[in-house]
Amino acid sequence: MLRRDLLKSALASTVALSFPSLLRGQQADKLTVIDGGGPNVVVFSSADGVILVDSGAPKSGDKLIAALGSNAKVQILFNTHYHLDQTANNEMFAAAGAPGVKIIAHEHTRQWMSTDYWLPDEDRYEKARPKAARPTETFRSTGTLKAGAEQIDYGHLTLAHTDGDIYVYFKTSNVLAAGDVASPLRDPALDYLSGAWIGGRVDAMDLILKLSNEQTRIVPAYGPAMTRAEFKAERDMMEEVRSRVWKQTIQGDSPKEMLDAGVMNGLSRTWKDPYKFLYDTAKGMFAHHNKLDPAVI
Ligand SMILES: [Zn+2]
């Protein structure tokens, strides 16, 4: 029996997981995860061509080409959101497969990539991406397509990490790419300027739990593929933080006061920069204050 392999990319390691294969003609569909210069790039190959989920970080183009093989013809590229770690090599893949490479993303992702935007942490503007890097096909809620024997469903994860996050679910293989909506290694990030907030993140994680089953492998933007149980544990931890921060917000606490009050204590994992996370969480929560409680003005 032929197997399809899912590589664990965080450590640029070798085969970590395997899946039953489905055949179309003589060529097996194959699903792998390769290292896109830190972030994961999901690669699906079939007789119909190559599909990528995300295009890697800046300066990772050569590494990606080497991992894919120079003969690989990328025909469809999904972007899980607009951040450079997921979109830096869009124009490279668009040019390599020209004409006709489809870049599929949420409409908001296209909009972010089409304009200069402010990076508050770095106190500077990031330039709009060239036209060749921008999504060519956008959607607002869900979509589906077929490649080889694989059914691929994709859809919006509302305000979970940005305002344009999507999942890409390789349903036949039962592998779901969740982008930065799953964050087993790095501190979960909330791009509050785009409207992302912790309530949206928990809701989006619930949607992924609803779409998946016990056997689903969930591929985060960074780190090894997760079991659904591991993903559920991360969701439950996010909900715990949400409810703690919600209580402190109602009391009018600042992020520093929240940190000092111990809202990040005793969680199931450690945080590299708990203050930054709390700051972004509080900012996002203020922006969504109308969803908090009638008592909050
Ligand atoms: Zn991101």
Side-chain angles (χ1 to χ4, degrees), residues 81 83 86 161 180:
H81 59 289
H83 289 158
Q86 280 68 39
H161 167 69
D180 262 323

Side-chain angles (χ1 to χ4, degrees), residues 194-257:
S194 73
W197 74 301
I198 194 164
R201 192 171 182 94
V202 173
D203 289 347
M205 295 182 95
D206 281 339
L207 175 61
I208 289 173
L209 287 169
K210 207 171 130 196
L211 292 167
S212 58
N213 58 46
E214 292 304 326
Q215 282 73 45
T216 307
R217 308 301 300 202
I218 296 168
V219 181
Y222 287 87
M226 306 166 80
T227 64
R228 186 170 179 272
E230 288 166 343
F231 182 80
K232 168 87 166 53
E234 186 178 317
R235 179 264 174 219
D236 290 348
M237 184 206 61
M238 295 307 298
E239 170 54 20
E240 175 63 25
V241 178
R242 188 206 60 77
S243 89
R244 291 181 189 184
V245 173
W246 179 75
K247 282 187 201 123
Q248 303 296 123
T249 302
I250 286 174
Q251 288 173 23
D253 282 359
S254 70
K256 177 79 173 63
E257 287 164 335

Side-chain angles (χ1 to χ4, degrees), residues 19-31:
F19 300 93
S21 77
L22 288 165
L23 297 175
R24 185 177 185 278
Q26 292 303 303
Q27 187 179 342
D29 296 349
K30 192 169 164 242
L31 186 61

Side-chain angles (χ1 to χ4, degrees), residues 74-76 94 97-103 136:
V74 175
Q75 287 171 326
I76 295 176
V101 177
K102 259 191 205 174
I103 304 179
T136 58

Side-chain angles (χ1 to χ4, degrees), residues 263-285:
V263 293
M264 302 298 283
N265 291 355
L267 296 170
S268 53
R269 64 191 266 185
T270 54
W271 300 67
K272 198 173 156 225
D273 189 349
Y275 176 75
K276 180 189 168 8
F277 175 77
L278 268 183
Y279 181 86
D280 294 351
T281 300
K283 282 275 190 188
M285 209 161 257

